[in-house]
Amino acid sequence: MSNKKQNDATLEKKEENLADKLFYKKKNYFEESDEKDIEKCYKFADEYKNFINISKTERETCRNAVEIVKQAGFKEFKFGDKLKVGDKRYYVNRDKSIAVFKIGKNNLEEHGIKILGAHIDSPRIDLKQNPMYEDSGFCFFKTHYYGGIKKYQWTTIPLALHGTIIRKDGTSVNVVIGEDENDPIFYINDLLPHLGQEQMMSNGYKIITGEQLNLVIGGKAYKGEKIKDKIKLNVLAILNEKYGILEEDFLSSELCAVPAYKARDIGFDRAFIGGYGHDDKSCAYPALRAILDTKSDDTILTLLVDKEEIGSEGNTGMKSKVYEDLMDEISESLKCTPRKVRAKSKCLSADVTSCFDPNFPNVYERMNASMISCGASINKFTGSGGKSSANDASAEFMGEIRKIFRDTDVIYQTSELGKVDLGGGGTIAKYVAELNIDTIDIGVPVISMHAPYELISKGDLYNTYKAFCNFIK
């Protein structure tokens, strides 16, 4: 090789080294990890799939979380209970949210509480309070959708009915119909394409209206009664025999239709998971597992809350004062001043974010979009437009989180939810931050978010779990 070629090669190598040092580049989990770690990742994914298959509503998720933490030695907490170092407790709020915590030996006023906060509700189709009617040979349930959905996605798919009914006498009954292979399922009609020309000229919001999201629940007439609504009577007779309910009992029920799908691996290499409710179970389950699997000298708290999809409202959403009350109870029981504890506390708001979709590239700003399999995604700020209704974490807290992840080999990335003037969204983060707690959003990037069947990467799920473990360690 001539001297010139040698000099050129040396210069090129120096430039590469400098670029490696100075440039920021996202890492792909499957490129960076060895087969042993990927095997752990896939095992965690299988455990996650098992969990979300039986946790499709916030009530079911809360119930299943209770069973998991009880098996791990946690005991129920009630306001007024005395706490001490080493205690492992859980608190259930109206069967729709759960707080799980461990009391560490570090002083709360100096170290605060390490918080992981996720939500366990997902978009779905709720029943109206007076839902049942018969029309043209069908019996239907009228519905009112919950959360931000594309309504047309919920037609012509198998649906299961989940929920709780409070009967006339005050007793309750839990309902799950459509998950077992021998169960019937439920269905929302759509118009055949041969007659759908006018429908297809509508904008996406109007292709299916809210009042057309009616569940087919029956079609067989009851014999022996001379009444108008014989199909409705037959369905009510079946429900009365099985559950002891009357039509009036729907007034005090919470029933919803969710996709009757199981979570499954996607792709020949099984790198992805398809499932209902990745938003936000793909963060809630890692947050729950993290507090069970991690030892820490700090006091740590996992919050799995309700109602995020409709603004964190009510007494089970993150706006409820009960979560602040719980933190105050922990502080006061350990003879600490609650406001001092909150000022030193830190929270990862564990919520999903949008993942760059190459089929729809125009809505993303690629440099600041989450990329599939590039790890847990941090959203320094949320909100929409000019950061309206945002939590915007400080540079100092962002730097602290970066250092933790770098020192513990967590693969992570940063993102925004779409182009500035197009995207946006909210999480529970701002409601935690309003308590004077440093808070930042981090979670799993999702393809087809809020659809009946969403897609995530196993690598992103696993690194979100690792991120949570190392944050609270």
Side-chain angles (χ1 to χ4, degrees), residues 23-55:
F23 286 174
Y24 167 63
K25 183 181 179 182
K26 293 185 179 183
K27 297 178 180 179
N28 183 289
Y29 170 74
F30 293 113
E31 292 178 6
E32 297 287 330
S33 304
D34 58 30
E35 287 303 316
K36 188 174 181 180
D37 196 65
I38 292 174
E39 186 177 330
K40 292 180 182 178
C41 166
Y42 277 43
K43 182 177 183 294
F44 185 84
D46 286 340
E47 293 162 351
Y48 165 71
K49 286 184 293 183
N50 291 336
F51 180 79
I52 65 170
N53 281 338
I54 58 171
S55 305

Tab-separated table of all heavy atoms in Angstrom, residues 23-55:
chain	number	residue	atom	x	y	z
A	23	PHE	N	-21.062	11.391	18.012
A	23	PHE	CA	-22.416	11.279	17.477
A	23	PHE	C	-23.318	10.476	18.412
A	23	PHE	O	-22.864	9.550	19.094
A	23	PHE	CB	-22.413	10.596	16.109
A	23	PHE	CG	-21.902	11.462	14.983
A	23	PHE	CD1	-21.735	10.939	13.719
A	23	PHE	CD2	-21.580	12.793	15.186
A	23	PHE	CE1	-21.257	11.718	12.674
A	23	PHE	CE2	-21.103	13.586	14.163
A	23	PHE	CZ	-20.949	13.046	12.900
A	24	TYR	N	-24.606	10.865	18.442
A	24	TYR	CA	-25.614	10.077	19.161
A	24	TYR	C	-26.290	9.128	18.188
A	24	TYR	O	-26.741	9.528	17.118
A	24	TYR	CB	-26.670	10.987	19.798
A	24	TYR	CG	-27.888	10.234	20.286
A	24	TYR	CD1	-27.787	9.287	21.307
A	24	TYR	CD2	-29.140	10.456	19.712
A	24	TYR	CE1	-28.902	8.581	21.744
A	24	TYR	CE2	-30.266	9.762	20.152
A	24	TYR	CZ	-30.141	8.829	21.163
A	24	TYR	OH	-31.241	8.132	21.582
A	25	LYS	N	-26.356	7.877	18.555
A	25	LYS	CA	-26.994	6.875	17.703
A	25	LYS	C	-27.784	5.913	18.578
A	25	LYS	O	-27.275	5.389	19.574
A	25	LYS	CB	-25.934	6.102	16.907
A	25	LYS	CG	-26.519	5.077	15.944
A	25	LYS	CD	-25.411	4.323	15.208
A	25	LYS	CE	-26.010	3.275	14.272
A	25	LYS	NZ	-24.960	2.491	13.580
A	26	LYS	N	-29.038	5.677	18.205
A	26	LYS	CA	-29.841	4.719	18.952
A	26	LYS	C	-29.308	3.304	18.756
A	26	LYS	O	-28.805	2.968	17.686
A	26	LYS	CB	-31.305	4.799	18.500
A	26	LYS	CG	-31.978	6.111	18.849
A	26	LYS	CD	-33.449	6.109	18.493
A	26	LYS	CE	-34.091	7.442	18.871
A	26	LYS	NZ	-35.534	7.473	18.624
A	27	LYS	N	-29.467	2.489	19.784
A	27	LYS	CA	-29.031	1.092	19.726
A	27	LYS	C	-30.242	0.185	19.558
A	27	LYS	O	-31.273	0.402	20.192
A	27	LYS	CB	-28.280	0.715	21.008
A	27	LYS	CG	-26.997	1.507	21.239
A	27	LYS	CD	-26.346	1.086	22.553
A	27	LYS	CE	-25.067	1.864	22.808
A	27	LYS	NZ	-24.430	1.471	24.097
A	28	ASN	N	-30.090	-0.832	18.722
A	28	ASN	CA	-31.142	-1.830	18.557
A	28	ASN	C	-30.850	-3.003	19.496
A	28	ASN	O	-29.758	-3.569	19.473
A	28	ASN	CB	-31.202	-2.307	17.107
A	28	ASN	CG	-32.324	-3.299	16.872
A	28	ASN	OD1	-32.275	-4.443	17.313
A	28	ASN	ND2	-33.350	-2.848	16.172
A	29	TYR	N	-31.832	-3.348	20.322
A	29	TYR	CA	-31.612	-4.383	21.333
A	29	TYR	C	-31.126	-5.686	20.729
A	29	TYR	O	-30.186	-6.311	21.238
A	29	TYR	CB	-32.906	-4.625	22.123
A	29	TYR	CG	-32.821	-5.839	23.020
A	29	TYR	CD1	-32.083	-5.800	24.193
A	29	TYR	CD2	-33.453	-7.034	22.678
A	29	TYR	CE1	-31.979	-6.911	25.017
A	29	TYR	CE2	-33.355	-8.153	23.493
A	29	TYR	CZ	-32.620	-8.091	24.664
A	29	TYR	OH	-32.502	-9.199	25.450
A	30	PHE	N	-31.738	-6.119	19.648
A	30	PHE	CA	-31.395	-7.421	19.077
A	30	PHE	C	-30.017	-7.423	18.422
A	30	PHE	O	-29.391	-8.472	18.298
A	30	PHE	CB	-32.473	-7.862	18.082
A	30	PHE	CG	-33.794	-8.144	18.734
A	30	PHE	CD1	-34.896	-7.339	18.484
A	30	PHE	CD2	-33.934	-9.191	19.619
A	30	PHE	CE1	-36.114	-7.588	19.101
A	30	PHE	CE2	-35.145	-9.453	20.242
A	30	PHE	CZ	-36.240	-8.648	19.981
A	31	GLU	N	-29.517	-6.259	18.026
A	31	GLU	CA	-28.163	-6.163	17.487
A	31	GLU	C	-27.126	-6.108	18.603
A	31	GLU	O	-26.011	-6.602	18.448
A	31	GLU	CB	-28.038	-4.916	16.603
A	31	GLU	CG	-28.851	-4.981	15.319
A	31	GLU	CD	-28.737	-3.697	14.511
A	31	GLU	OE1	-27.933	-2.817	14.896
A	31	GLU	OE2	-29.449	-3.569	13.497
A	32	GLU	N	-27.505	-5.507	19.730
A	32	GLU	CA	-26.547	-5.282	20.813
A	32	GLU	C	-26.439	-6.449	21.786
A	32	GLU	O	-25.452	-6.580	22.496
A	32	GLU	CB	-26.954	-4.027	21.608
A	32	GLU	CG	-26.938	-2.740	20.810
A	32	GLU	CD	-25.536	-2.258	20.505
A	32	GLU	OE1	-24.624	-2.529	21.311
A	32	GLU	OE2	-25.351	-1.608	19.458
A	33	SER	N	-27.442	-7.308	21.838
A	33	SER	CA	-27.528	-8.303	22.911
A	33	SER	C	-27.118	-9.692	22.446
A	33	SER	O	-27.282	-10.053	21.277
A	33	SER	CB	-28.959	-8.350	23.458
A	33	SER	OG	-29.358	-7.071	23.889
A	34	ASP	N	-26.602	-10.482	23.398
A	34	ASP	CA	-26.229	-11.861	23.082
A	34	ASP	C	-27.444	-12.776	23.245
A	34	ASP	O	-28.486	-12.374	23.778
A	34	ASP	CB	-25.065	-12.332	23.955
A	34	ASP	CG	-25.354	-12.259	25.454
A	34	ASP	OD1	-26.533	-12.404	25.852
A	34	ASP	OD2	-24.403	-12.064	26.238
A	35	GLU	N	-27.289	-14.009	22.804
A	35	GLU	CA	-28.421	-14.940	22.796
A	35	GLU	C	-28.908	-15.276	24.208
A	35	GLU	O	-30.099	-15.516	24.418
A	35	GLU	CB	-28.043	-16.228	22.052
A	35	GLU	CG	-27.949	-16.058	20.547
A	35	GLU	CD	-29.245	-15.528	19.949
A	35	GLU	OE1	-30.338	-16.004	20.336
A	35	GLU	OE2	-29.171	-14.608	19.109
A	36	LYS	N	-28.001	-15.247	25.167
A	36	LYS	CA	-28.395	-15.554	26.544
A	36	LYS	C	-29.353	-14.487	27.076
A	36	LYS	O	-30.362	-14.804	27.726
A	36	LYS	CB	-27.158	-15.638	27.434
A	36	LYS	CG	-27.442	-16.134	28.841
A	36	LYS	CD	-26.158	-16.326	29.633
A	36	LYS	CE	-26.466	-16.840	31.035
A	36	LYS	NZ	-25.230	-17.046	31.828
A	37	ASP	N	-29.048	-13.220	26.789
A	37	ASP	CA	-29.926	-12.152	27.254
A	37	ASP	C	-31.243	-12.154	26.484
A	37	ASP	O	-32.310	-11.897	27.065
A	37	ASP	CB	-29.235	-10.791	27.096
A	37	ASP	CG	-29.932	-9.701	27.902
A	37	ASP	OD1	-29.931	-9.807	29.146
A	37	ASP	OD2	-30.497	-8.768	27.299
A	38	ILE	N	-31.182	-12.447	25.199
A	38	ILE	CA	-32.403	-12.502	24.400
A	38	ILE	C	-33.314	-13.633	24.893
A	38	ILE	O	-34.541	-13.505	24.894
A	38	ILE	CB	-32.068	-12.657	22.896
A	38	ILE	CG1	-31.402	-11.369	22.378
A	38	ILE	CG2	-33.311	-12.983	22.078
A	38	ILE	CD1	-30.908	-11.452	20.959
A	39	GLU	N	-32.706	-14.711	25.349
A	39	GLU	CA	-33.497	-15.808	25.918
A	39	GLU	C	-34.252	-15.343	27.166
A	39	GLU	O	-35.428	-15.666	27.357
A	39	GLU	CB	-32.563	-16.978	26.272
A	39	GLU	CG	-33.284	-18.224	26.736
A	39	GLU	CD	-32.323	-19.376	27.015
A	39	GLU	OE1	-31.265	-19.454	26.362
A	39	GLU	OE2	-32.643	-20.195	27.901
A	40	LYS	N	-33.592	-14.546	28.022
A	40	LYS	CA	-34.265	-13.972	29.194
A	40	LYS	C	-35.393	-13.043	28.765
A	40	LYS	O	-36.463	-13.018	29.377
A	40	LYS	CB	-33.254	-13.205	30.051
A	40	LYS	CG	-32.208	-14.053	30.743
A	40	LYS	CD	-31.269	-13.162	31.544
A	40	LYS	CE	-30.171	-13.972	32.219
A	40	LYS	NZ	-29.216	-13.089	32.957
A	41	CYS	N	-35.121	-12.274	27.729
A	41	CYS	CA	-36.122	-11.345	27.186
A	41	CYS	C	-37.369	-12.095	26.731
A	41	CYS	O	-38.500	-11.700	27.056
A	41	CYS	CB	-35.491	-10.561	26.029
A	41	CYS	SG	-36.639	-9.665	24.990
A	42	TYR	N	-37.185	-13.170	25.994
A	42	TYR	CA	-38.329	-13.942	25.489
A	42	TYR	C	-39.095	-14.621	26.615
A	42	TYR	O	-40.315	-14.748	26.558
A	42	TYR	CB	-37.846	-14.966	24.459
A	42	TYR	CG	-37.680	-14.404	23.059
A	42	TYR	CD1	-37.093	-13.163	22.844
A	42	TYR	CD2	-38.107	-15.118	21.945
A	42	TYR	CE1	-36.937	-12.651	21.568
A	42	TYR	CE2	-37.956	-14.610	20.661
A	42	TYR	CZ	-37.367	-13.373	20.485
A	42	TYR	OH	-37.224	-12.867	19.223
A	43	LYS	N	-38.378	-15.047	27.644
A	43	LYS	CA	-39.030	-15.660	28.806
A	43	LYS	C	-39.909	-14.629	29.518
A	43	LYS	O	-41.062	-14.915	29.891
A	43	LYS	CB	-37.998	-16.224	29.776
A	43	LYS	CG	-38.586	-16.921	31.001
A	43	LYS	CD	-37.485	-17.510	31.881
A	43	LYS	CE	-38.063	-18.273	33.066
A	43	LYS	NZ	-38.772	-17.391	34.009
A	44	PHE	N	-39.382	-13.415	29.692
A	44	PHE	CA	-40.165	-12.350	30.316
A	44	PHE	C	-41.400	-12.038	29.480
A	44	PHE	O	-42.495	-11.820	30.015
A	44	PHE	CB	-39.304	-11.098	30.491
A	44	PHE	CG	-39.992	-9.993	31.236
A	44	PHE	CD1	-40.006	-9.972	32.620
A	44	PHE	CD2	-40.621	-8.963	30.557
A	44	PHE	CE1	-40.657	-8.961	33.317
A	44	PHE	CE2	-41.274	-7.948	31.235
A	44	PHE	CZ	-41.281	-7.939	32.619
A	45	ALA	N	-41.234	-12.050	28.170
A	45	ALA	CA	-42.357	-11.778	27.271
A	45	ALA	C	-43.460	-12.825	27.415
A	45	ALA	O	-44.653	-12.496	27.375
A	45	ALA	CB	-41.869	-11.708	25.831
A	46	ASP	N	-43.076	-14.091	27.576
A	46	ASP	CA	-44.076	-15.148	27.765
A	46	ASP	C	-44.866	-14.929	29.064
A	46	ASP	O	-46.092	-15.126	29.106
A	46	ASP	CB	-43.402	-16.521	27.799
A	46	ASP	CG	-42.941	-16.982	26.427
A	46	ASP	OD1	-43.448	-16.455	25.419
A	46	ASP	OD2	-42.064	-17.869	26.357
A	47	GLU	N	-44.167	-14.520	30.113
A	47	GLU	CA	-44.838	-14.253	31.390
A	47	GLU	C	-45.787	-13.054	31.254
A	47	GLU	O	-46.891	-13.066	31.814
A	47	GLU	CB	-43.786	-13.995	32.470
A	47	GLU	CG	-42.953	-15.230	32.789
A	47	GLU	CD	-41.658	-14.920	33.516
A	47	GLU	OE1	-41.297	-13.731	33.635
A	47	GLU	OE2	-40.983	-15.874	33.967
A	48	TYR	N	-45.360	-12.074	30.513
A	48	TYR	CA	-46.210	-10.911	30.262
A	48	TYR	C	-47.464	-11.299	29.484
A	48	TYR	O	-48.579	-10.869	29.836
A	48	TYR	CB	-45.408	-9.856	29.492
A	48	TYR	CG	-46.255	-8.769	28.873
A	48	TYR	CD1	-46.879	-7.811	29.660
A	48	TYR	CD2	-46.422	-8.697	27.487
A	48	TYR	CE1	-47.661	-6.810	29.092
A	48	TYR	CE2	-47.195	-7.699	26.915
A	48	TYR	CZ	-47.815	-6.755	27.718
A	48	TYR	OH	-48.588	-5.780	27.145
A	49	LYS	N	-47.321	-12.110	28.462
A	49	LYS	CA	-48.484	-12.534	27.669
A	49	LYS	C	-49.493	-13.268	28.540
A	49	LYS	O	-50.714	-13.052	28.419
A	49	LYS	CB	-48.036	-13.414	26.501
A	49	LYS	CG	-47.355	-12.669	25.373
A	49	LYS	CD	-47.019	-13.576	24.201
A	49	LYS	CE	-45.970	-14.592	24.568
A	49	LYS	NZ	-45.577	-15.450	23.425
A	50	ASN	N	-49.011	-14.139	29.403
A	50	ASN	CA	-49.914	-14.858	30.304
A	50	ASN	C	-50.694	-13.889	31.184
A	50	ASN	O	-51.894	-14.090	31.452
A	50	ASN	CB	-49.124	-15.837	31.178
A	50	ASN	CG	-48.553	-16.997	30.391
A	50	ASN	OD1	-49.065	-17.349	29.327
A	50	ASN	ND2	-47.497	-17.596	30.891
A	51	PHE	N	-50.028	-12.834	31.623
A	51	PHE	CA	-50.667	-11.858	32.504
A	51	PHE	C	-51.751	-11.073	31.770
A	51	PHE	O	-52.873	-10.940	32.262
A	51	PHE	CB	-49.615	-10.896	33.075
A	51	PHE	CG	-50.181	-9.854	33.989
A	51	PHE	CD1	-50.508	-10.154	35.296
A	51	PHE	CD2	-50.386	-8.547	33.547
A	51	PHE	CE1	-51.030	-9.195	36.155
A	51	PHE	CE2	-50.903	-7.573	34.386
A	51	PHE	CZ	-51.223	-7.895	35.693
A	52	ILE	N	-51.436	-10.557	30.579
A	52	ILE	CA	-52.432	-9.700	29.911
A	52	ILE	C	-53.599	-10.511	29.359
A	52	ILE	O	-54.691	-9.966	29.167
A	52	ILE	CB	-51.812	-8.812	28.814
A	52	ILE	CG1	-51.241	-9.640	27.645
A	52	ILE	CG2	-50.763	-7.898	29.395
A	52	ILE	CD1	-50.855	-8.764	26.463
A	53	ASN	N	-53.398	-11.795	29.132
A	53	ASN	CA	-54.512	-12.623	28.655
A	53	ASN	C	-55.642	-12.727	29.672
A	53	ASN	O	-56.801	-12.934	29.303
A	53	ASN	CB	-54.023	-14.026	28.288
A	53	ASN	CG	-53.346	-14.078	26.930
A	53	ASN	OD1	-53.579	-13.215	26.078
A	53	ASN	ND2	-52.516	-15.083	26.717
A	54	ILE	N	-55.313	-12.581	30.939
A	54	ILE	CA	-56.331	-12.695	31.990
A	54	ILE	C	-56.561	-11.362	32.700
A	54	ILE	O	-57.216	-11.315	33.741
A	54	ILE	CB	-55.951	-13.776	33.020
A	54	ILE	CG1	-54.611	-13.479	33.667
A	54	ILE	CG2	-55.933	-15.156	32.374
A	54	ILE	CD1	-54.267	-14.375	34.843
A	55	SER	N	-56.039	-10.270	32.132
A	55	SER	CA	-56.119	-8.957	32.789
A	55	SER	C	-56.574	-7.900	31.795
A	55	SER	O	-55.901	-6.905	31.560
A	55	SER	CB	-54.743	-8.577	33.366
A	55	SER	OG	-54.247	-9.566	34.226
